[in-house]
Structure formats: C-alpha cells, structure tokens
Coordinates of all heavy atoms in Angstrom, one line a residue:
M1 N 111.3 102.5 68.3 CA 110.6 101.2 68.6 C 109.8 101.3 69.9 O 110.2 102.0 70.8 CB 111.7 100.1 68.8 CG 112.0 99.4 67.6 SD 113.0 98.0 68.2 CE 113.6 97.5 66.7
R2 N 108.8 100.6 69.9 CA 107.9 100.5 71.1 C 108.4 99.4 72.0 O 108.6 98.3 71.6 CB 106.5 100.3 70.6 CG 105.5 100.7 71.5 CD 104.2 100.6 70.8 NE 103.2 100.0 71.8 CZ 102.0 99.7 71.5 NH1 101.5 99.8 70.3 NH2 101.2 99.3 72.4
K3 N 108.5 99.7 73.3 CA 108.9 98.6 74.3 C 107.7 97.8 74.7 O 106.6 98.4 75.0 CB 109.5 99.3 75.5 CG 110.9 99.9 75.2 CD 111.5 100.3 76.5 CE 112.9 100.8 76.2 NZ 113.6 101.2 77.4
S4 N 107.8 96.5 74.7 CA 106.8 95.6 75.2 C 106.9 95.5 76.7 O 108.0 95.3 77.3 CB 106.9 94.3 74.5 OG 106.1 93.4 75.1
S5 N 105.8 95.5 77.4 CA 105.8 95.4 78.9 C 106.1 93.9 79.3 O 106.4 93.6 80.4 CB 104.5 95.8 79.4 OG 103.4 95.0 78.9
K6 N 106.0 93.0 78.3 CA 106.2 91.6 78.6 C 107.7 91.2 78.4 O 108.0 90.1 78.7 CB 105.3 90.7 77.7 CG 103.9 90.8 78.0 CD 103.1 89.9 77.1 CE 101.6 90.2 77.4 NZ 100.7 89.3 76.6
F7 N 108.5 92.1 78.0 CA 109.9 91.8 77.7 C 110.7 91.8 79.0 O 110.6 92.7 79.8 CB 110.5 92.9 76.8 CG 112.0 92.7 76.6 CD1 112.4 91.7 75.8 CD2 112.8 93.6 77.2 CE1 113.8 91.5 75.6 CE2 114.2 93.4 77.0 CZ 114.7 92.4 76.2
I8 N 111.4 90.7 79.3 CA 112.2 90.6 80.5 C 113.7 90.4 80.0 O 114.0 89.4 79.4 CB 111.8 89.4 81.4 CG1 110.4 89.5 81.8 CG2 112.7 89.3 82.6 CD1 109.8 88.3 82.4
P9 N 114.6 91.4 80.4 CA 116.0 91.2 80.0 C 116.6 89.9 80.6 O 116.2 89.6 81.7 CB 116.7 92.5 80.6 CG 115.6 93.4 80.8 CD 114.3 92.6 81.0
L10 N 117.5 89.3 79.9 CA 118.0 88.0 80.4 C 118.8 88.2 81.7 O 118.7 87.3 82.5 CB 119.0 87.4 79.3 CG 118.3 86.9 78.1 CD1 119.4 86.4 77.1 CD2 117.4 85.7 78.5
E11 N 119.4 89.3 81.9 CA 120.1 89.5 83.2 C 119.2 89.6 84.4 O 119.6 89.3 85.5 CB 121.0 90.7 83.1 CG 120.4 92.0 82.8 CD 120.3 92.3 81.3 OE1 120.8 91.5 80.5 OE2 119.8 93.4 80.9
N12 N 117.9 90.0 84.2 CA 116.9 90.0 85.3 C 116.2 88.7 85.5 O 115.5 88.5 86.4 CB 115.9 91.1 85.0 CG 116.5 92.5 85.0 OD1 117.6 92.7 85.5 ND2 115.8 93.4 84.5
L13 N 116.4 87.7 84.6 CA 115.7 86.5 84.6 C 116.1 85.7 85.8 O 115.3 85.0 86.5 CB 115.9 85.7 83.3 CG 115.0 84.5 83.2 CD1 113.5 84.8 83.2 CD2 115.3 83.8 81.8
A14 N 117.4 85.7 86.2 CA 117.9 84.9 87.3 C 117.3 85.4 88.6 O 117.2 84.6 89.6 CB 119.4 85.1 87.4
D15 N 116.9 86.7 88.7 CA 116.3 87.2 89.9 C 114.9 86.7 90.2 O 114.4 86.7 91.3 CB 116.3 88.7 89.9 CG 117.6 89.4 89.8 OD1 118.6 88.7 90.2 OD2 117.7 90.5 89.3
R16 N 114.3 86.2 89.1 CA 112.9 85.7 89.2 C 112.7 84.3 89.5 O 111.6 83.8 89.6 CB 112.1 86.1 87.9 CG 112.1 87.6 87.7 CD 111.4 87.9 86.5 NE 110.0 87.4 86.7 CZ 109.0 87.8 86.0 NH1 109.1 88.7 85.1 NH2 107.8 87.3 86.2
Q17 N 113.7 83.5 89.7 CA 113.6 82.1 89.9 C 113.1 81.8 91.3 O 113.2 82.5 92.3 CB 114.9 81.4 89.7 CG 115.4 81.4 88.3 CD 116.8 80.8 88.1 OE1 117.4 80.4 89.1 NE2 117.2 80.7 86.9
E18 N 112.4 80.6 91.5 CA 111.9 80.2 92.7 C 113.0 79.8 93.7 O 114.1 79.4 93.2 CB 111.0 79.0 92.5 CG 109.7 79.3 91.8 CD 108.8 78.0 91.7 OE1 109.2 76.9 92.1 OE2 107.7 78.2 91.2
P19 N 112.8 79.7 95.0 CA 113.8 79.3 95.9 C 114.2 77.8 95.6 O 113.3 77.1 95.1 CB 113.1 79.3 97.3 CG 111.9 80.2 97.1 CD 111.6 80.2 95.6
E20 N 115.4 77.4 95.9 CA 115.9 76.1 95.6 C 115.0 75.1 96.4 O 114.6 75.3 97.5 CB 117.3 76.0 96.1 CG 118.0 74.7 95.6 CD 119.5 74.7 95.9 OE1 120.1 75.8 95.8 OE2 119.9 73.6 96.2
A21 N 114.7 73.9 95.7 CA 113.8 72.9 96.3 C 114.3 72.4 97.6 O 113.5 72.2 98.6 CB 113.6 71.8 95.3
S22 N 115.6 72.1 97.8 CA 116.1 71.5 99.0 C 116.0 72.5 100.2 O 115.7 72.1 101.3 CB 117.6 71.1 98.8 OG 118.4 72.2 98.6
T23 N 116.2 73.8 99.9 CA 116.0 74.8 100.9 C 114.6 74.9 101.4 O 114.3 74.9 102.6 CB 116.4 76.2 100.4 OG1 117.7 76.1 99.9 CG2 116.3 77.3 101.5
V24 N 113.6 74.8 100.4 CA 112.2 74.9 100.8 C 111.9 73.6 101.6 O 111.1 73.7 102.5 CB 111.3 75.0 99.5 CG1 109.9 74.8 99.8 CG2 111.6 76.3 98.8
S25 N 112.4 72.5 101.2 CA 112.1 71.2 101.9 C 112.5 71.3 103.3 O 111.8 70.9 104.2 CB 112.8 70.0 101.2 OG 112.4 69.9 99.9
K26 N 113.7 71.8 103.6 CA 114.2 71.9 104.9 C 113.4 72.9 105.7 O 113.1 72.6 106.9 CB 115.7 72.4 104.9 CG 116.6 71.4 104.4 CD 118.0 71.9 104.3 CE 119.0 70.9 103.6 NZ 120.3 71.5 103.4
Q27 N 112.9 74.0 105.1 CA 112.1 75.0 105.8 C 110.8 74.3 106.2 O 110.3 74.6 107.3 CB 111.8 76.2 104.9 CG 113.0 77.1 104.6 CD 112.7 78.2 103.7 OE1 111.7 78.1 102.9 NE2 113.5 79.2 103.7
I28 N 110.2 73.6 105.3 CA 108.9 73.0 105.5 C 109.0 72.0 106.7 O 108.1 72.0 107.6 CB 108.3 72.3 104.3 CG1 108.0 73.3 103.2 CG2 107.1 71.4 104.6 CD1 107.6 72.7 101.9
L29 N 109.9 71.1 106.7 CA 110.1 70.1 107.8 C 110.4 70.8 109.1 O 109.8 70.4 110.1 CB 111.2 69.1 107.4 CG 110.8 68.2 106.2 CD1 112.0 67.3 105.9 CD2 109.6 67.4 106.5
A30 N 111.2 71.8 109.1 CA 111.5 72.5 110.4 C 110.3 73.3 110.9 O 110.0 73.4 112.1 CB 112.7 73.5 110.1
F31 N 109.5 73.9 110.0 CA 108.3 74.7 110.4 C 107.2 73.9 110.8 O 106.4 74.3 111.6 CB 107.9 75.6 109.2 CG 106.9 76.6 109.5 CD1 107.1 77.6 110.4 CD2 105.7 76.6 108.8 CE1 106.2 78.6 110.7 CE2 104.7 77.6 109.1 CZ 105.0 78.6 110.0
C32 N 107.1 72.6 110.4 CA 105.9 71.8 110.7 C 106.1 70.9 112.0 O 105.5 69.9 112.1 CB 105.6 70.8 109.6 SG 104.7 71.6 108.3
T33 N 107.0 71.4 112.9 CA 107.1 70.7 114.2 C 105.8 70.7 115.0 O 105.5 69.9 115.8 CB 108.3 71.2 115.0 OG1 108.1 72.6 115.2 CG2 109.6 70.9 114.3
T34 N 105.0 71.8 114.7 CA 103.7 71.9 115.2 C 102.8 71.9 114.0 O 103.2 72.3 112.9 CB 103.4 73.2 116.1 OG1 103.7 74.3 115.3 CG2 104.3 73.2 117.3
S35 N 101.5 71.6 114.1 CA 100.6 71.5 112.9 C 100.4 72.8 112.3 O 100.2 73.8 112.9 CB 99.3 70.8 113.3 OG 98.7 71.6 114.3
K36 N 100.5 72.8 110.9 CA 100.3 74.0 110.1 C 99.5 73.7 108.9 O 99.5 72.6 108.4 CB 101.7 74.5 109.6 CG 102.7 74.7 110.6 CD 102.4 75.9 111.5 CE 103.6 76.1 112.4 NZ 103.3 76.8 113.6
S37 N 98.7 74.7 108.5 CA 97.8 74.5 107.3 C 98.7 74.8 106.0 O 99.8 75.3 106.1 CB 96.7 75.5 107.3 OG 97.2 76.8 107.2
K38 N 98.2 74.4 104.9 CA 98.9 74.6 103.6 C 99.1 76.1 103.4 O 100.2 76.5 102.9 CB 98.1 74.1 102.4 CG 98.1 72.6 102.3 CD 97.3 72.2 101.0 CE 97.0 70.8 101.0 NZ 96.2 70.4 99.8
K39 N 98.1 76.9 103.8 CA 98.3 78.3 103.6 C 99.4 78.9 104.4 O 100.2 79.7 104.0 CB 96.9 79.0 103.9 CG 96.8 80.4 103.5 CD 95.4 80.9 103.7 CE 95.2 82.3 103.1 NZ 93.8 82.8 103.3
E40 N 99.5 78.4 105.6 CA 100.6 78.9 106.5 C 101.9 78.5 106.0 O 102.9 79.2 106.0 CB 100.4 78.3 107.9 CG 99.2 78.9 108.7 CD 99.0 78.2 110.0 OE1 99.0 76.9 110.0 OE2 98.7 78.9 111.0
L41 N 102.0 77.2 105.5 CA 103.3 76.7 104.9 C 103.7 77.5 103.7 O 104.9 77.9 103.6 CB 103.1 75.2 104.6 CG 103.1 74.3 105.7 CD1 102.7 72.9 105.2 CD2 104.4 74.2 106.4
A42 N 102.8 77.8 102.8 CA 103.1 78.5 101.6 C 103.5 79.9 101.9 O 104.5 80.4 101.3 CB 101.9 78.5 100.6
A43 N 102.8 80.6 102.8 CA 103.2 81.9 103.2 C 104.6 82.0 103.8 O 105.4 82.8 103.5 CB 102.2 82.5 104.1
F44 N 104.9 81.0 104.7 CA 106.2 80.9 105.3 C 107.3 80.8 104.3 O 108.4 81.3 104.4 CB 106.2 79.8 106.3 CG 107.5 79.6 107.0 CD1 107.9 80.4 108.0 CD2 108.4 78.5 106.6 CE1 109.2 80.2 108.6 CE2 109.6 78.3 107.3 CZ 110.0 79.2 108.3
C45 N 107.1 79.9 103.3 CA 108.1 79.7 102.3 C 108.1 80.7 101.1 O 109.0 80.7 100.3 CB 107.9 78.3 101.7 SG 108.2 77.0 102.9
G46 N 107.2 81.6 101.2 CA 107.2 82.7 100.2 C 106.4 82.4 98.9 O 106.7 83.0 97.8
F47 N 105.5 81.4 98.9 CA 104.8 81.0 97.7 C 103.4 81.6 97.8 O 102.8 81.6 98.9 CB 104.7 79.5 97.6 CG 106.0 78.9 97.2 CD1 106.9 78.5 98.1 CD2 106.3 78.6 95.9 CE1 108.1 78.0 97.8 CE2 107.5 78.1 95.5 CZ 108.4 77.7 96.5
K48 N 102.8 82.0 96.7 CA 101.4 82.5 96.7 C 100.4 81.6 96.0 O 99.3 81.6 96.4 CB 101.4 83.9 95.9 CG 102.2 85.0 96.6 CD 102.1 86.2 95.9 CE 102.9 87.3 96.6 NZ 102.9 88.6 95.9
D49 N 100.9 80.7 95.1 CA 100.0 79.8 94.4 C 100.0 78.5 95.2 O 100.9 77.7 95.2 CB 100.6 79.5 93.0 CG 99.7 78.6 92.2 OD1 98.6 78.3 92.6 OD2 100.2 78.1 91.2
L50 N 98.8 78.3 96.0 CA 98.7 77.1 96.8 C 98.7 75.8 96.0 O 99.2 74.8 96.5 CB 97.4 77.2 97.6 CG 97.5 77.9 98.9 CD1 96.1 77.9 99.6 CD2 98.5 77.3 99.8
R51 N 98.0 75.8 94.9 CA 97.9 74.6 94.1 C 99.3 74.1 93.6 O 99.7 72.9 93.8 CB 97.0 74.8 92.9 CG 96.8 73.5 92.1 CD 95.7 73.7 91.1 NE 95.3 72.5 90.5 CZ 95.7 72.1 89.3 NH1 96.4 72.9 88.5 NH2 95.3 70.9 88.8
N52 N 100.1 75.0 93.1 CA 101.4 74.7 92.6 C 102.3 74.3 93.8 O 103.1 73.3 93.7 CB 102.0 75.8 91.9 CG 103.3 75.5 91.2 OD1 103.6 74.4 90.8 ND2 104.2 76.5 91.1
F53 N 102.2 75.0 94.9 CA 103.0 74.7 96.1 C 102.7 73.3 96.6 O 103.5 72.5 97.0 CB 102.7 75.7 97.2 CG 103.4 75.5 98.5 CD1 104.8 75.7 98.6 CD2 102.8 75.0 99.6 CE1 105.5 75.4 99.8 CE2 103.4 74.8 100.8 CZ 104.8 75.0 100.9
T54 N 101.4 72.9 96.6 CA 100.9 71.6 97.1 C 101.5 70.5 96.2 O 102.0 69.5 96.7 CB 99.4 71.5 97.1 OG1 98.9 72.5 98.0 CG2 98.9 70.2 97.6
L55 N 101.4 70.7 94.9 CA 101.9 69.7 93.9 C 103.4 69.5 94.0 O 103.9 68.3 94.0 CB 101.5 70.0 92.5 CG 100.0 70.0 92.2 CD1 99.7 70.5 90.8 CD2 99.5 68.6 92.3
K56 N 104.1 70.6 94.1 CA 105.6 70.5 94.1 C 106.2 70.1 95.4 O 107.3 69.5 95.5 CB 106.2 71.8 93.6 CG 106.1 72.0 92.2 CD 106.9 73.3 91.8 CE 107.0 73.5 90.3 NZ 107.8 74.6 90.0
H57 N 105.6 70.5 96.5 CA 106.3 70.4 97.8 C 105.5 69.5 98.8 O 106.1 68.6 99.5 CB 106.6 71.8 98.4 CG 107.5 72.6 97.5 ND1 108.8 72.4 97.4 CD2 107.2 73.6 96.7 CE1 109.3 73.2 96.6 NE2 108.4 74.0 96.1
I58 N 104.2 69.8 99.0 CA 103.5 69.1 100.1 C 103.2 67.6 99.7 O 103.5 66.7 100.5 CB 102.2 69.8 100.4 CG1 102.4 71.2 100.8 CG2 101.4 69.0 101.4 CD1 103.2 71.3 102.1
N59 N 102.7 67.4 98.5 CA 102.4 66.0 98.1 C 103.6 65.0 98.1 O 103.5 63.9 98.6 CB 101.7 66.0 96.7 CG 100.3 66.5 96.7 OD1 99.7 66.7 97.8 ND2 99.8 66.7 95.6
P60 N 104.8 65.4 97.6 CA 105.9 64.5 97.7 C 106.3 64.1 99.2 O 106.6 63.0 99.5 CB 107.1 65.3 97.1 CG 106.4 66.2 96.1 CD 105.1 66.6 96.8
F61 N 106.1 65.1 100.1 CA 106.4 64.8 101.5 C 105.3 63.9 102.1 O 105.6 63.0 102.9 CB 106.4 66.1 102.4 CG 107.7 66.8 102.3 CD1 107.7 68.2 102.2 CD2 108.9 66.2 102.4 CE1 108.9 68.9 102.2 CE2 110.1 66.8 102.4 CZ 110.1 68.2 102.3
L62 N 104.1 64.0 101.7 CA 103.0 63.1 102.2 C 103.2 61.7 101.7 O 103.1 60.8 102.4 CB 101.6 63.7 101.7 CG 101.2 65.0 102.4 CD1 99.9 65.5 101.7 CD2 101.0 64.8 103.9
E63 N 103.6 61.6 100.4 CA 103.9 60.3 99.8 C 105.1 59.6 100.4 O 105.1 58.4 100.6 CB 104.1 60.4 98.3 CG 102.8 60.8 97.6 CD 103.0 61.2 96.1 OE1 104.2 61.1 95.6 OE2 102.0 61.6 95.5
S64 N 106.1 60.4 100.8 CA 107.3 59.8 101.3 C 107.2 59.5 102.8 O 108.0 58.8 103.4 CB 108.5 60.7 101.1 OG 108.4 61.9 101.9
G65 N 106.1 60.0 103.5 CA 105.9 59.8 104.9 C 106.6 60.8 105.8 O 106.6 60.6 107.0
K66 N 107.2 61.8 105.3 CA 107.9 62.8 106.1 C 106.9 63.8 106.7 O 107.2 64.4 107.8 CB 108.9 63.6 105.3 CG 110.1 62.7 104.8 CD 111.0 63.5 104.0 CE 112.2 62.6 103.6 NZ 113.1 63.4 102.7
L67 N 105.7 64.0 106.1 CA 104.6 64.8 106.6 C 103.4 63.9 106.7 O 103.3 63.0 105.9 CB 104.3 66.0 105.7 CG 105.1 67.3 105.8 CD1 104.5 68.3 104.8 CD2 105.2 67.8 107.1
E68 N 102.6 64.2 107.7 CA 101.3 63.5 107.7 C 100.2 64.6 108.0 O 100.4 65.6 108.5 CB 101.3 62.4 108.7 CG 101.4 62.9 110.2 CD 101.4 61.7 111.1 OE1 101.7 60.5 110.7 OE2 101.0 61.9 112.3
M69 N 99.0 64.2 107.6 CA 97.8 65.0 107.8 C 97.2 64.8 109.2 O 97.2 63.6 109.6 CB 96.7 64.7 106.7 CG 97.1 65.1 105.3 SD 95.8 64.9 104.2 CE 96.4 63.5 103.3
I70 N 96.7 65.8 109.8 CA 96.1 65.7 111.1 C 94.7 65.0 110.9 O 94.4 64.2 111.8 CB 95.9 67.1 111.7 CG1 97.2 67.8 111.9 CG2 95.1 67.0 113.0 CD1 98.2 67.1 112.8
I71 N 94.0 65.2 109.8 CA 92.7 64.6 109.6 C 92.9 63.7 108.3 O 92.5 64.2 107.2 CB 91.6 65.6 109.4 CG1 91.6 66.6 110.6 CG2 90.2 64.9 109.4 CD1 90.8 67.8 110.3
P72 N 93.5 62.5 108.4 CA 93.7 61.8 107.1 C 92.5 61.3 106.4 O 92.5 61.1 105.2 CB 94.6 60.6 107.6 CG 94.4 60.5 109.1 CD 94.0 61.9 109.5
D73 N 91.4 61.2 107.1 CA 90.1 60.7 106.5 C 89.5 61.8 105.6 O 88.7 61.5 104.7 CB 89.1 60.3 107.5 CG 89.5 59.2 108.4 OD1 90.5 58.5 108.0 OD2 89.0 59.0 109.5
K74 N 89.9 63.1 105.8 CA 89.3 64.2 105.0 C 90.4 65.1 104.5 O 90.7 66.2 105.1 CB 88.4 65.0 105.9 CG 87.2 64.2 106.4 CD 86.3 65.1 107.3 CE 85.2 64.3 107.9 NZ 84.3 65.1 108.7
P75 N 91.1 64.7 103.4 CA 92.3 65.5 102.9 C 91.9 66.9 102.5 O 92.8 67.7 102.5 CB 92.8 64.6 101.8 CG 91.8 63.6 101.5 CD 90.9 63.5 102.6
K76 N 90.7 67.1 102.1 CA 90.3 68.5 101.6 C 89.6 69.3 102.7 O 89.0 70.3 102.4 CB 89.4 68.3 100.4 CG 90.2 67.7 99.2 CD 89.6 68.0 97.9 CE 90.4 67.3 96.9 NZ 90.9 68.1 95.8
S77 N 89.6 68.9 103.9 CA 88.9 69.6 105.0 C 89.5 71.0 105.1 O 90.7 71.1 105.0 CB 89.0 68.8 106.3 OG 88.6 69.6 107.4
R78 N 88.7 72.0 105.5 CA 89.2 73.3 105.7 C 90.0 73.4 107.0 O 90.8 74.3 107.2 CB 88.1 74.3 105.7 CG 87.1 74.1 106.8 CD 85.9 75.1 106.7 NE 84.9 74.9 107.7 CZ 84.9 75.5 108.9 NH1 85.8 76.3 109.2 NH2 83.9 75.2 109.7
N79 N 89.9 72.4 107.8 CA 90.6 72.4 109.1 C 91.9 71.5 109.0 O 92.6 71.3 110.0 CB 89.7 71.8 110.2 CG 88.5 72.7 110.4 OD1 88.7 73.9 110.4 ND2 87.4 72.1 110.7
Q80 N 92.2 71.0 107.8 CA 93.3 70.1 107.6 C 94.6 70.8 107.9 O 94.9 72.0 107.5 CB 93.4 69.6 106.1 CG 94.4 68.6 105.9 CD 94.2 67.3 106.6 OE1 94.8 67.1 107.7 NE2 93.3 66.5 106.1
K81 N 95.5 70.2 108.6 CA 96.8 70.7 108.9 C 97.8 69.5 108.7 O 97.5 68.4 108.6 CB 96.9 71.2 110.4 CG 95.9 72.4 110.6 CD 96.2 73.1 111.8 CE 95.2 74.2 111.9 NZ 95.8 75.5 112.0
H82 N 99.1 69.9 108.6 CA 100.2 69.0 108.4 C 101.2 69.1 109.5 O 101.4 70.2 110.0 CB 100.8 69.3 107.0 CG 99.9 69.1 105.9 ND1 99.0 70.2 105.5 CD2 99.6 68.1 105.1 CE1 98.3 69.8 104.5 NE2 98.6 68.5 104.2
I83 N 101.8 68.0 109.8 CA 102.9 68.0 110.8 C 104.0 67.0 110.4 O 103.8 66.0 109.7 CB 102.3 67.5 112.2 CG1 103.2 67.8 113.3 CG2 101.8 66.1 112.2 CD1 102.6 67.8 114.7
T84 N 105.2 67.4 110.8 CA 106.4 66.6 110.5 C 106.4 65.3 111.3 O 106.0 65.3 112.5 CB 107.7 67.3 110.8 OG1 107.7 68.6 110.1 CG2 108.9 66.5 110.5
V85 N 106.7 64.2 110.6 CA 106.7 62.9 111.3 C 108.2 62.7 111.8 O 109.1 62.8 111.0 CB 106.4 61.7 110.3 CG1 106.5 60.4 111.0 CG2 105.0 61.9 109.8
H86 N 108.3 62.4 113.1 CA 109.6 62.2 113.6 C 109.9 60.7 113.7 O 109.2 59.9 114.2 CB 109.7 62.7 115.1 CG 109.5 64.2 115.1 ND1 110.5 65.1 114.7 CD2 108.5 65.0 115.4 CE1 110.1 66.3 114.8 NE2 108.8 66.3 115.2
F87 N 111.0 60.3 113.1 CA 111.5 58.9 113.1 C 112.4 58.7 114.2 O 113.3 59.5 114.4 CB 112.2 58.5 111.7 CG 111.2 58.6 110.6 CD1 111.3 59.6 109.7 CD2 110.3 57.6 110.4 CE1 110.4 59.7 108.6 CE2 109.4 57.6 109.3 CZ 109.5 58.7 108.4
Q88 N 112.2 57.6 115.0 CA 113.1 57.4 116.1 C 114.0 56.2 115.9 O 113.7 55.3 115.2 CB 112.3 57.2 117.4 CG 111.8 58.6 117.8 CD 110.4 58.5 118.4 OE1 109.8 57.5 118.4 NE2 110.0 59.6 118.9

C-alpha cells in the first residue's frame, strides 16, 4: 500500500491542537501592559495566522473592553496597537 502524506495518526492529533483559549487570554492581557501590534501579539502567543488570531482572540477582548486600540478612529492603520485596559 502506498502511504498518503495527508494521513495523520490519531495518537499524533492531540499534539497538533492550539493552545487553550484561557491560557492565551491571560498571556495577551499580561503582554499588553504596554502597547503592542497584532503581529507582536500573535508571535508572542505562537500563532502565525493573523486573521484567525484576530477573530478568535483580539476582537472578543476589544468588544468586552479589556483591550483598547491606541488609534480608535483608524482600526486598520498600520500603526495600530493594542493595550490592556486597567479597571480600578
């Protein structure tokens, strides 16, 4: 039989899962004490796909108010950075 290069044994599937969402959330909030770009955040958390990272992690934080944009008038600016909002 010929082996397919797309075949992934089930025992190796667990090794390929993404980091747990709560761990990533804590990392993002801790890392953003100073302003960081999306690219810096994704690299720090070990993600390569910026679009997916933004949809799954950054946007929920922006909607909940835990992160804010440095330039809120221009969300797609190349100079856009994000910072953790501190509640007192």
Side-chain angles (χ1 to χ4, degrees):
M1 265 193 196
R2 202 170 140 185
K3 290 187 177 183
S4 172
S5 62
K6 295 181 182 179
F7 176 74
I8 300 170
L10 288 177
E11 55 271 3
N12 294 346
L13 191 59
D15 298 338
R16 298 183 59 158
Q17 293 178 353
E18 291 182 354
E20 191 174 322
S22 64
T23 305
V24 173
S25 299
K26 291 176 187 175
Q27 288 177 341
I28 291 170
L29 291 176
F31 189 60
C32 281
T33 55
T34 60
S35 58
K36 306 289 184 207
S37 68
K38 283 184 196 177
K39 193 172 186 178
E40 290 172 317
L41 287 169
F44 177 75
C45 294
F47 289 86
K48 293 181 181 178
D49 182 12
L50 272 181
R51 185 169 188 256
N52 188 31
F53 179 73
T54 301
L55 291 173
K56 282 188 172 181
H57 299 287
I58 302 297
N59 287 348
F61 279 138
L62 291 172
E63 291 169 5
S64 69
K66 293 180 181 179
L67 276 183
E68 66 180 21
M69 291 185 251
I70 298 299
I71 311 167
D73 298 340
K74 299 179 181 180
K76 297 200 182 234
S77 170
R78 64 184 173 92
N79 298 321
Q80 186 64 263
K81 296 196 183 240
H82 300 82
I83 192 163
T84 303
V85 175
H86 296 284
F87 295 105
Q88 289 145 351

